[in-house]
Amino acid sequence: MFKIFIVEDDKQLVRLLDNNLTKFGFETKSVDDFETVRAQFEQYQPHLVLLDINLPNFDGFYWCRQIRTISTCPILFISARDSKMDQVMALENGADDYITKPFEYEIVIAKINSQLRRTYGSYAISNNERTTTVNGLKLDVEKMKLSLQENEIELSHTEAKILDELMKKTERLVSRDRLLEKIWDDQVFVDDNTLNVYITRVRKKLTSLGIHDAIQTIRGQGYRLLPNWEEE
């Protein structure tokens, strides 16, 4: 049974989410102390997090960053804040998706199932696709880790999927449509800017390993990975 961790301070909404998720066979736990969200997350070990932005003490962006230091499980923001900047900030801080309130519970369930399929189920990376290596840069898609020489960093599931696609087609153009199809395969509409945000995050991860300007943008078409770093 998949476990869903609800970080939301609207008690009525928590009850409605709990009722709907339980109806579809999920186990749920909601936060009872908004000063210890990370500790409760570690104790519960959920498969997915539903996270609001406006929370007591610290906002959802803060707790998303905290969770990302210890887990790569899917994080879905649920918020009444519907500006594009809030959605970009959520993705920049490590979220996998963003749902604006008020929402249809069928959409929430569909997005949860989509993330769970990609991370744990039928769309998860199979054993024969565990690693991809280009010029000494090693991507472990299953463990969502990227390493070069002695340095290793963690990736989100979506970042790993993007890098996997680019690394498998090194120096070849990967179209934006191909990346969107590969990553968001549940056919839910995705703002084109979302891919831009993830590419920016992937570039930052590469920079942290000392790799600069390796992802080339082909305007209006897609992206190309250029192995411009030295293998030692």
Side-chain angles (χ1 to χ4, degrees):
M1 180 181 293
F2 287 112
K3 299 190 294 184
I4 312 297
F5 187 47
I6 304 172
V7 187
E8 165 66 63
D9 63 339
D10 183 332
K11 293 183 179 179
Q12 181 178 359
L13 179 56
V14 169
R15 284 196 296 271
L16 290 170
L17 283 168
D18 178 70
N19 289 339
N20 279 275
L21 290 168
T22 302
K23 188 187 305 180
F24 281 88
F26 296 108
E27 176 186 317
T28 69
K29 173 180 171 55
S30 58
V31 168
D32 52 31
D33 178 359
F34 287 93
E35 292 185 353
T36 61
V37 172
R38 173 173 162 163
Q40 292 176 71
F41 172 90
E42 289 188 87
Q43 182 176 15
Y44 187 51
Q45 291 293 306
H47 296 94
L48 181 143
V49 178
L50 293 177
L51 177 62
D52 194 7
I53 295 177
N54 296 325
L55 298 169
N57 304 313
F58 299 98
D59 64 21
F61 300 135
Y62 171 83
W63 289 119
C64 188
R65 293 194 302 272
Q66 290 293 305
I67 292 171
R68 277 289 169 256
T69 64
I70 55 175
S71 175
T72 56
C73 83
I75 298 176
L76 277 65
F77 269 86
I78 49 172
S79 176
R81 291 163 58 168
D82 59 358
S83 74
K84 181 171 290 187
M85 182 54 66
D86 284 318
Q87 296 181 47
V88 169
M89 285 182 63
L91 295 170
E92 286 280 11
N93 281 281
D96 294 282
D97 206 341
Y98 193 103
I99 306 171
T100 55
K101 303 174 185 174
F103 47 71
E104 298 290 336
Y105 287 94
E106 291 82 358
I107 296 296
V108 176
I109 297 297
K111 285 181 173 286
I112 287 173
N113 282 328
S114 173
Q115 292 293 335
L116 293 174
R117 284 196 303 271
R118 291 194 196 99
T119 309
Y120 311 105
S122 57
Y123 296 148
I125 303 301
S126 60
N127 289 341
N128 61 0
E129 296 179 302
R130 286 187 178 184
T131 62
T132 304
T133 303
V134 174
N135 211 31
L137 180 68
K138 181 179 179 181
L139 171 67
D140 189 321
V141 189
E142 189 175 68
K143 295 181 179 178
M144 291 177 283
K145 293 182 184 294
L146 185 69
S147 60
L148 181 65
Q149 301 170 27
E150 300 300 320
N151 300 314
E152 183 179 85
I153 58 173
E154 291 191 353
L155 305 169
S156 72
H157 187 69
T158 301
E159 291 166 352
K161 293 284 286 274
I162 289 173
L163 269 172
D164 185 45
E165 194 68 15
L166 291 172
M167 290 173 69
K168 285 179 177 177
K169 296 180 173 63
T170 302
E171 298 189 272
R172 287 179 287 167
L173 173 69
V174 180
S175 71
R176 294 179 64 88
D177 287 344
R178 171 60 182 167
L179 286 173
L180 289 168
E181 176 187 350
K182 181 76 174 177
I183 300 159
W184 291 284
D185 44 19
D186 55 0
Q187 299 182 339
V188 174
F189 173 76
V190 177
D191 189 320
D192 198 51
N193 188 59
T194 303
L195 180 58
N196 296 338
V197 171
Y198 274 110
I199 291 292
T200 298
R201 287 171 56 181
V202 170
R203 284 180 169 134
K204 288 180 179 178
K205 293 293 178 73
L206 290 172
T207 298
S208 70
L209 291 175
I211 298 174
H212 304 276
D213 304 320
I215 298 179
Q216 179 185 33
T217 300
I218 311 300
R219 188 174 297 277
Q221 298 183 56
Y223 303 92
R224 179 184 292 126
L225 181 69
L226 303 176
N228 59 6
W229 60 92
E230 293 184 5
E231 179 179 4
E232 296 184 7

PDB file of all heavy atoms in Angstrom, residues 53 59-62 64-65 77 81 83-95 97-98 193 197 201:
ATOM      1  N   ILE A  53       1.944  25.543   0.227  1.00  0.00           N
ATOM      2  CA  ILE A  53       2.976  26.579   0.356  1.00  0.00           C
ATOM      3  C   ILE A  53       2.801  27.350   1.656  1.00  0.00           C
ATOM      4  O   ILE A  53       3.739  27.487   2.443  1.00  0.00           O
ATOM      5  CB  ILE A  53       2.928  27.562  -0.841  1.00  0.00           C
ATOM      6  CG1 ILE A  53       3.280  26.855  -2.135  1.00  0.00           C
ATOM      7  CG2 ILE A  53       3.909  28.727  -0.595  1.00  0.00           C
ATOM      8  CD1 ILE A  53       3.191  27.758  -3.366  1.00  0.00           C
ATOM      9  N   ASP A  59       7.445  28.034   5.228  1.00  0.00           N
ATOM     10  CA  ASP A  59       6.577  27.755   4.087  1.00  0.00           C
ATOM     11  C   ASP A  59       6.927  26.418   3.432  1.00  0.00           C
ATOM     12  O   ASP A  59       7.910  25.760   3.779  1.00  0.00           O
ATOM     13  CB  ASP A  59       6.602  28.891   3.062  1.00  0.00           C
ATOM     14  CG  ASP A  59       7.963  29.097   2.404  1.00  0.00           C
ATOM     15  OD1 ASP A  59       8.788  28.170   2.419  1.00  0.00           O
ATOM     16  OD2 ASP A  59       8.185  30.197   1.867  1.00  0.00           O
ATOM     17  N   GLY A  60       6.094  26.039   2.458  1.00  0.00           N
ATOM     18  CA  GLY A  60       6.275  24.747   1.795  1.00  0.00           C
ATOM     19  C   GLY A  60       7.567  24.646   1.012  1.00  0.00           C
ATOM     20  O   GLY A  60       8.129  23.559   0.873  1.00  0.00           O
ATOM     21  N   PHE A  61       8.055  25.778   0.470  1.00  0.00           N
ATOM     22  CA  PHE A  61       9.317  25.762  -0.256  1.00  0.00           C
ATOM     23  C   PHE A  61      10.451  25.296   0.662  1.00  0.00           C
ATOM     24  O   PHE A  61      11.307  24.506   0.262  1.00  0.00           O
ATOM     25  CB  PHE A  61       9.649  27.145  -0.817  1.00  0.00           C
ATOM     26  CG  PHE A  61       8.628  27.673  -1.780  1.00  0.00           C
ATOM     27  CD1 PHE A  61       8.190  28.981  -1.697  1.00  0.00           C
ATOM     28  CD2 PHE A  61       8.088  26.867  -2.774  1.00  0.00           C
ATOM     29  CE1 PHE A  61       7.249  29.482  -2.583  1.00  0.00           C
ATOM     30  CE2 PHE A  61       7.151  27.355  -3.672  1.00  0.00           C
ATOM     31  CZ  PHE A  61       6.730  28.666  -3.567  1.00  0.00           C
ATOM     32  N   TYR A  62      10.431  25.799   1.895  1.00  0.00           N
ATOM     33  CA  TYR A  62      11.462  25.418   2.872  1.00  0.00           C
ATOM     34  C   TYR A  62      11.404  23.919   3.146  1.00  0.00           C
ATOM     35  O   TYR A  62      12.439  23.236   3.118  1.00  0.00           O
ATOM     36  CB  TYR A  62      11.259  26.202   4.174  1.00  0.00           C
ATOM     37  CG  TYR A  62      12.133  25.724   5.317  1.00  0.00           C
ATOM     38  CD1 TYR A  62      13.450  26.164   5.438  1.00  0.00           C
ATOM     39  CD2 TYR A  62      11.633  24.831   6.268  1.00  0.00           C
ATOM     40  CE1 TYR A  62      14.249  25.720   6.479  1.00  0.00           C
ATOM     41  CE2 TYR A  62      12.438  24.386   7.313  1.00  0.00           C
ATOM     42  CZ  TYR A  62      13.736  24.829   7.411  1.00  0.00           C
ATOM     43  OH  TYR A  62      14.540  24.388   8.438  1.00  0.00           O
ATOM     44  N   CYS A  64      10.088  21.600   1.339  1.00  0.00           N
ATOM     45  CA  CYS A  64      10.447  20.838   0.142  1.00  0.00           C
ATOM     46  C   CYS A  64      11.965  20.684   0.063  1.00  0.00           C
ATOM     47  O   CYS A  64      12.472  19.588  -0.209  1.00  0.00           O
ATOM     48  CB  CYS A  64       9.914  21.533  -1.097  1.00  0.00           C
ATOM     49  SG  CYS A  64      10.098  20.583  -2.621  1.00  0.00           S
ATOM     50  N   ARG A  65      12.695  21.755   0.320  1.00  0.00           N
ATOM     51  CA  ARG A  65      14.164  21.683   0.301  1.00  0.00           C
ATOM     52  C   ARG A  65      14.674  20.739   1.380  1.00  0.00           C
ATOM     53  O   ARG A  65      15.622  19.969   1.157  1.00  0.00           O
ATOM     54  CB  ARG A  65      14.770  23.074   0.490  1.00  0.00           C
ATOM     55  CG  ARG A  65      14.515  24.024  -0.666  1.00  0.00           C
ATOM     56  CD  ARG A  65      15.416  25.256  -0.567  1.00  0.00           C
ATOM     57  NE  ARG A  65      15.247  25.987   0.678  1.00  0.00           N
ATOM     58  CZ  ARG A  65      14.355  26.950   0.869  1.00  0.00           C
ATOM     59  NH1 ARG A  65      13.510  27.287  -0.111  1.00  0.00           N
ATOM     60  NH2 ARG A  65      14.278  27.580   2.028  1.00  0.00           N
ATOM     61  N   PHE A  77       3.022  19.913  -4.973  1.00  0.00           N
ATOM     62  CA  PHE A  77       2.486  21.078  -4.269  1.00  0.00           C
ATOM     63  C   PHE A  77       0.990  21.187  -4.540  1.00  0.00           C
ATOM     64  O   PHE A  77       0.528  20.959  -5.658  1.00  0.00           O
ATOM     65  CB  PHE A  77       3.185  22.357  -4.731  1.00  0.00           C
ATOM     66  CG  PHE A  77       4.398  22.705  -3.909  1.00  0.00           C
ATOM     67  CD1 PHE A  77       5.635  22.164  -4.227  1.00  0.00           C
ATOM     68  CD2 PHE A  77       4.293  23.561  -2.828  1.00  0.00           C
ATOM     69  CE1 PHE A  77       6.751  22.474  -3.477  1.00  0.00           C
ATOM     70  CE2 PHE A  77       5.405  23.881  -2.067  1.00  0.00           C
ATOM     71  CZ  PHE A  77       6.641  23.341  -2.391  1.00  0.00           C
ATOM     72  N   ARG A  81      -2.163  29.523  -4.438  1.00  0.00           N
ATOM     73  CA  ARG A  81      -1.333  30.493  -5.145  1.00  0.00           C
ATOM     74  C   ARG A  81      -1.103  29.989  -6.566  1.00  0.00           C
ATOM     75  O   ARG A  81      -0.436  28.976  -6.768  1.00  0.00           O
ATOM     76  CB  ARG A  81      -0.015  30.696  -4.385  1.00  0.00           C
ATOM     77  CG  ARG A  81      -0.234  31.420  -3.078  1.00  0.00           C
ATOM     78  CD  ARG A  81       0.901  31.310  -2.089  1.00  0.00           C
ATOM     79  NE  ARG A  81       2.177  31.787  -2.589  1.00  0.00           N
ATOM     80  CZ  ARG A  81       3.243  31.995  -1.806  1.00  0.00           C
ATOM     81  NH1 ARG A  81       3.152  31.795  -0.484  1.00  0.00           N
ATOM     82  NH2 ARG A  81       4.376  32.402  -2.318  1.00  0.00           N
ATOM     83  N   SER A  83       0.152  31.805  -9.313  1.00  0.00           N
ATOM     84  CA  SER A  83       1.033  32.555 -10.202  1.00  0.00           C
ATOM     85  C   SER A  83       2.096  31.643 -10.801  1.00  0.00           C
ATOM     86  O   SER A  83       2.474  30.630 -10.209  1.00  0.00           O
ATOM     87  CB  SER A  83       1.725  33.700  -9.443  1.00  0.00           C
ATOM     88  OG  SER A  83       2.742  33.193  -8.592  1.00  0.00           O
ATOM     89  N   LYS A  84       2.558  32.023 -11.987  1.00  0.00           N
ATOM     90  CA  LYS A  84       3.591  31.242 -12.649  1.00  0.00           C
ATOM     91  C   LYS A  84       4.864  31.212 -11.818  1.00  0.00           C
ATOM     92  O   LYS A  84       5.553  30.200 -11.752  1.00  0.00           O
ATOM     93  CB  LYS A  84       3.878  31.818 -14.035  1.00  0.00           C
ATOM     94  CG  LYS A  84       4.923  31.056 -14.826  1.00  0.00           C
ATOM     95  CD  LYS A  84       5.012  31.539 -16.249  1.00  0.00           C
ATOM     96  CE  LYS A  84       3.796  31.168 -17.057  1.00  0.00           C
ATOM     97  NZ  LYS A  84       3.956  31.486 -18.502  1.00  0.00           N
ATOM     98  N   MET A  85       5.174  32.341 -11.128  1.00  0.00           N
ATOM     99  CA  MET A  85       6.387  32.394 -10.310  1.00  0.00           C
ATOM    100  C   MET A  85       6.347  31.386  -9.174  1.00  0.00           C
ATOM    101  O   MET A  85       7.352  30.735  -8.866  1.00  0.00           O
ATOM    102  CB  MET A  85       6.585  33.798  -9.753  1.00  0.00           C
ATOM    103  CG  MET A  85       7.865  33.957  -8.927  1.00  0.00           C
ATOM    104  SD  MET A  85       9.357  33.439  -9.838  1.00  0.00           S
ATOM    105  CE  MET A  85       9.395  34.668 -11.136  1.00  0.00           C
ATOM    106  N   ASP A  86       5.181  31.228  -8.526  1.00  0.00           N
ATOM    107  CA  ASP A  86       5.057  30.240  -7.450  1.00  0.00           C
ATOM    108  C   ASP A  86       5.297  28.834  -7.980  1.00  0.00           C
ATOM    109  O   ASP A  86       5.954  28.012  -7.330  1.00  0.00           O
ATOM    110  CB  ASP A  86       3.675  30.313  -6.800  1.00  0.00           C
ATOM    111  CG  ASP A  86       3.533  31.509  -5.874  1.00  0.00           C
ATOM    112  OD1 ASP A  86       4.482  31.781  -5.120  1.00  0.00           O
ATOM    113  OD2 ASP A  86       2.478  32.158  -5.905  1.00  0.00           O
ATOM    114  N   GLN A  87       4.771  28.553  -9.175  1.00  0.00           N
ATOM    115  CA  GLN A  87       4.959  27.232  -9.756  1.00  0.00           C
ATOM    116  C   GLN A  87       6.422  26.997 -10.124  1.00  0.00           C
ATOM    117  O   GLN A  87       6.952  25.901  -9.909  1.00  0.00           O
ATOM    118  CB  GLN A  87       4.056  27.079 -10.980  1.00  0.00           C
ATOM    119  CG  GLN A  87       2.573  27.144 -10.630  1.00  0.00           C
ATOM    120  CD  GLN A  87       1.661  26.976 -11.824  1.00  0.00           C
ATOM    121  OE1 GLN A  87       1.855  26.086 -12.627  1.00  0.00           O
ATOM    122  NE2 GLN A  87       0.660  27.837 -11.946  1.00  0.00           N
ATOM    123  N   VAL A  88       7.061  28.027 -10.657  1.00  0.00           N
ATOM    124  CA  VAL A  88       8.484  27.909 -10.982  1.00  0.00           C
ATOM    125  C   VAL A  88       9.303  27.701  -9.715  1.00  0.00           C
ATOM    126  O   VAL A  88      10.209  26.853  -9.667  1.00  0.00           O
ATOM    127  CB  VAL A  88       8.970  29.147 -11.754  1.00  0.00           C
ATOM    128  CG1 VAL A  88      10.490  29.157 -11.870  1.00  0.00           C
ATOM    129  CG2 VAL A  88       8.348  29.190 -13.145  1.00  0.00           C
ATOM    130  N   MET A  89       8.994  28.456  -8.661  1.00  0.00           N
ATOM    131  CA  MET A  89       9.729  28.318  -7.395  1.00  0.00           C
ATOM    132  C   MET A  89       9.559  26.922  -6.806  1.00  0.00           C
ATOM    133  O   MET A  89      10.501  26.350  -6.257  1.00  0.00           O
ATOM    134  CB  MET A  89       9.265  29.371  -6.393  1.00  0.00           C
ATOM    135  CG  MET A  89       9.777  30.763  -6.685  1.00  0.00           C
ATOM    136  SD  MET A  89       9.255  31.956  -5.429  1.00  0.00           S
ATOM    137  CE  MET A  89      10.076  31.287  -3.964  1.00  0.00           C
ATOM    138  N   ALA A  90       8.356  26.376  -6.935  1.00  0.00           N
ATOM    139  CA  ALA A  90       8.118  25.019  -6.423  1.00  0.00           C
ATOM    140  C   ALA A  90       9.023  24.022  -7.139  1.00  0.00           C
ATOM    141  O   ALA A  90       9.676  23.182  -6.503  1.00  0.00           O
ATOM    142  CB  ALA A  90       6.652  24.640  -6.595  1.00  0.00           C
ATOM    143  N   LEU A  91       9.083  24.117  -8.459  1.00  0.00           N
ATOM    144  CA  LEU A  91       9.927  23.211  -9.231  1.00  0.00           C
ATOM    145  C   LEU A  91      11.399  23.443  -8.923  1.00  0.00           C
ATOM    146  O   LEU A  91      12.180  22.494  -8.806  1.00  0.00           O
ATOM    147  CB  LEU A  91       9.657  23.388 -10.729  1.00  0.00           C
ATOM    148  CG  LEU A  91       8.254  22.990 -11.202  1.00  0.00           C
ATOM    149  CD1 LEU A  91       8.045  23.434 -12.640  1.00  0.00           C
ATOM    150  CD2 LEU A  91       8.040  21.495 -11.066  1.00  0.00           C
ATOM    151  N   GLU A  92      11.788  24.708  -8.776  1.00  0.00           N
ATOM    152  CA  GLU A  92      13.180  25.026  -8.470  1.00  0.00           C
ATOM    153  C   GLU A  92      13.602  24.474  -7.120  1.00  0.00           C
ATOM    154  O   GLU A  92      14.767  24.129  -6.903  1.00  0.00           O
ATOM    155  CB  GLU A  92      13.397  26.547  -8.496  1.00  0.00           C
ATOM    156  CG  GLU A  92      13.415  27.159  -9.879  1.00  0.00           C
ATOM    157  CD  GLU A  92      14.742  26.967 -10.575  1.00  0.00           C
ATOM    158  OE1 GLU A  92      15.581  26.192 -10.093  1.00  0.00           O
ATOM    159  OE2 GLU A  92      14.945  27.609 -11.622  1.00  0.00           O
ATOM    160  N   ASN A  93      12.648  24.398  -6.194  1.00  0.00           N
ATOM    161  CA  ASN A  93      12.965  23.900  -4.852  1.00  0.00           C
ATOM    162  C   ASN A  93      12.847  22.394  -4.724  1.00  0.00           C
ATOM    163  O   ASN A  93      13.021  21.856  -3.640  1.00  0.00           O
ATOM    164  CB  ASN A  93      12.076  24.598  -3.820  1.00  0.00           C
ATOM    165  CG  ASN A  93      12.558  25.983  -3.465  1.00  0.00           C
ATOM    166  OD1 ASN A  93      13.488  26.147  -2.678  1.00  0.00           O
ATOM    167  ND2 ASN A  93      11.949  27.006  -4.060  1.00  0.00           N
ATOM    168  N   GLY A  94      12.526  21.708  -5.850  1.00  0.00           N
ATOM    169  CA  GLY A  94      12.564  20.248  -5.829  1.00  0.00           C
ATOM    170  C   GLY A  94      11.254  19.536  -6.027  1.00  0.00           C
ATOM    171  O   GLY A  94      11.203  18.306  -5.951  1.00  0.00           O
ATOM    172  N   ALA A  95      10.161  20.276  -6.302  1.00  0.00           N
ATOM    173  CA  ALA A  95       8.866  19.624  -6.502  1.00  0.00           C
ATOM    174  C   ALA A  95       8.803  18.919  -7.853  1.00  0.00           C
ATOM    175  O   ALA A  95       9.549  19.243  -8.772  1.00  0.00           O
ATOM    176  CB  ALA A  95       7.738  20.651  -6.408  1.00  0.00           C
ATOM    177  N   ASP A  97       5.523  18.334  -9.262  1.00  0.00           N
ATOM    178  CA  ASP A  97       4.318  18.817  -9.925  1.00  0.00           C
ATOM    179  C   ASP A  97       3.660  19.858  -9.024  1.00  0.00           C
ATOM    180  O   ASP A  97       4.035  20.012  -7.851  1.00  0.00           O
ATOM    181  CB  ASP A  97       3.343  17.659 -10.205  1.00  0.00           C
ATOM    182  CG  ASP A  97       2.429  17.946 -11.401  1.00  0.00           C
ATOM    183  OD1 ASP A  97       2.292  19.125 -11.772  1.00  0.00           O
ATOM    184  OD2 ASP A  97       1.860  16.982 -11.952  1.00  0.00           O
ATOM    185  N   TYR A  98       2.662  20.564  -9.580  1.00  0.00           N
ATOM    186  CA  TYR A  98       2.003  21.664  -8.864  1.00  0.00           C
ATOM    187  C   TYR A  98       0.532  21.644  -9.228  1.00  0.00           C
ATOM    188  O   TYR A  98       0.175  21.657 -10.398  1.00  0.00           O
ATOM    189  CB  TYR A  98       2.642  22.982  -9.296  1.00  0.00           C
ATOM    190  CG  TYR A  98       2.296  24.189  -8.442  1.00  0.00           C
ATOM    191  CD1 TYR A  98       3.195  24.688  -7.511  1.00  0.00           C
ATOM    192  CD2 TYR A  98       1.078  24.850  -8.601  1.00  0.00           C
ATOM    193  CE1 TYR A  98       2.896  25.808  -6.749  1.00  0.00           C
ATOM    194  CE2 TYR A  98       0.759  25.963  -7.832  1.00  0.00           C
ATOM    195  CZ  TYR A  98       1.684  26.443  -6.918  1.00  0.00           C
ATOM    196  OH  TYR A  98       1.390  27.550  -6.151  1.00  0.00           O
ATOM    197  N   ASN A 193       6.935  25.982 -20.102  1.00  0.00           N
ATOM    198  CA  ASN A 193       7.966  26.562 -19.248  1.00  0.00           C
ATOM    199  C   ASN A 193       8.491  25.565 -18.226  1.00  0.00           C
ATOM    200  O   ASN A 193       9.610  25.704 -17.730  1.00  0.00           O
ATOM    201  CB  ASN A 193       7.411  27.796 -18.524  1.00  0.00           C
ATOM    202  CG  ASN A 193       8.486  28.554 -17.766  1.00  0.00           C
ATOM    203  OD1 ASN A 193       9.467  29.015 -18.332  1.00  0.00           O
ATOM    204  ND2 ASN A 193       8.304  28.666 -16.461  1.00  0.00           N
ATOM    205  N   VAL A 197      12.374  24.979 -16.820  1.00  0.00           N
ATOM    206  CA  VAL A 197      12.793  24.982 -15.411  1.00  0.00           C
ATOM    207  C   VAL A 197      13.635  23.754 -15.106  1.00  0.00           C
ATOM    208  O   VAL A 197      14.688  23.839 -14.460  1.00  0.00           O
ATOM    209  CB  VAL A 197      11.562  25.045 -14.482  1.00  0.00           C
ATOM    210  CG1 VAL A 197      11.983  24.832 -13.028  1.00  0.00           C
ATOM    211  CG2 VAL A 197      10.865  26.386 -14.626  1.00  0.00           C
ATOM    212  N   ARG A 201      17.565  23.295 -13.904  1.00  0.00           N
ATOM    213  CA  ARG A 201      17.980  22.541 -12.719  1.00  0.00           C
ATOM    214  C   ARG A 201      19.045  21.506 -13.070  1.00  0.00           C
ATOM    215  O   ARG A 201      20.005  21.305 -12.314  1.00  0.00           O
ATOM    216  CB  ARG A 201      16.759  21.859 -12.083  1.00  0.00           C
ATOM    217  CG  ARG A 201      15.848  22.833 -11.368  1.00  0.00           C
ATOM    218  CD  ARG A 201      14.554  22.191 -10.925  1.00  0.00           C
ATOM    219  NE  ARG A 201      14.756  21.018 -10.085  1.00  0.00           N
ATOM    220  CZ  ARG A 201      13.768  20.290  -9.598  1.00  0.00           C
ATOM    221  NH1 ARG A 201      12.518  20.600  -9.865  1.00  0.00           N
ATOM    222  NH2 ARG A 201      14.015  19.248  -8.834  1.00  0.00           N
TER     223      ARG A 201
END
